[in-house]
Amino acid sequence: MSCYEIEALRLGLMNVLGTEDRSAREHAEKELDGHLDGPIEALANAETLSAVERHLDAALVDLEEEIAATDEDDPEYDYMRGRLVAVRDAERAVHRLTDQGESVLGGLAEAHDTLHETFPVDE
């Protein structure tokens, strides 16, 4: 059993953050071997946070559809529902990361404006 969404998300975030941990990348790629298609592939190859969010959402929709089509007596059913909880939690973490990044950008803009107000430049 593997959590393709989480491994693809790890790869996408490594791309966005510029993480060069070769062993972590190789581990995630091994977990995804044979499953890199659709939203999972797009998520693994994402290069921006907005792309990560978009492709993670699509992967969640696919997972929800997979769960809805699975019989509750299937031995994989509970694991799949656990996967859904973990991926939704990861989705919230990505949203927090995006919000924090936007907050940093806003703070830098304010600092820039304050600096120019305090020390005006004659043009």
Side-chain angles (χ1 to χ4, degrees):
M1 289 187 258
S2 186
C3 189
Y4 308 119
E5 299 82 8
I6 296 295
E7 292 302 328
L9 175 59
R10 291 181 66 216
L11 284 173
L13 288 175
M14 283 187 242
N15 295 338
V16 170
L17 299 172
T19 303
E20 296 183 20
D21 183 343
R22 192 72 219 148
S23 65
R25 182 170 292 281
E26 288 172 358
H27 173 80
E29 289 170 347
K30 183 178 177 183
E31 290 285 324
L32 291 170
D33 189 40
H35 299 281
L36 280 174
D37 57 7
I40 296 297
E41 180 179 23
L43 180 56
N45 294 321
E47 295 183 354
T48 66
L49 282 176
S50 63
V52 166
E53 288 180 318
R54 184 173 58 257
H55 298 307
L56 183 58
D57 184 57
L60 262 169
V61 168
D62 285 358
L63 179 57
E64 289 168 343
E65 289 174 357
E66 184 181 353
I67 292 169
T70 302
D71 189 279
E72 290 183 21
D73 294 331
D74 187 307
E76 297 279 321
Y77 184 76
D78 289 336
Y79 173 73
M80 291 168 63
R81 288 182 49 120
R83 238 170 82 194
L84 180 63
V85 170
V87 175
R88 283 186 178 155
D89 185 52
E91 181 184 43
R92 285 190 295 276
V94 170
H95 287 307
R96 286 191 307 272
L97 181 60
T98 299
D99 289 345
Q100 289 171 348
E102 289 173 356
S103 176
V104 168
L105 285 174
L108 291 172
E110 287 178 28
H112 179 256
D113 291 344
T114 301
L115 183 61
H116 282 286
E117 287 171 9
T118 306
F119 303 100
V121 177
D122 294 330
E123 291 186 25

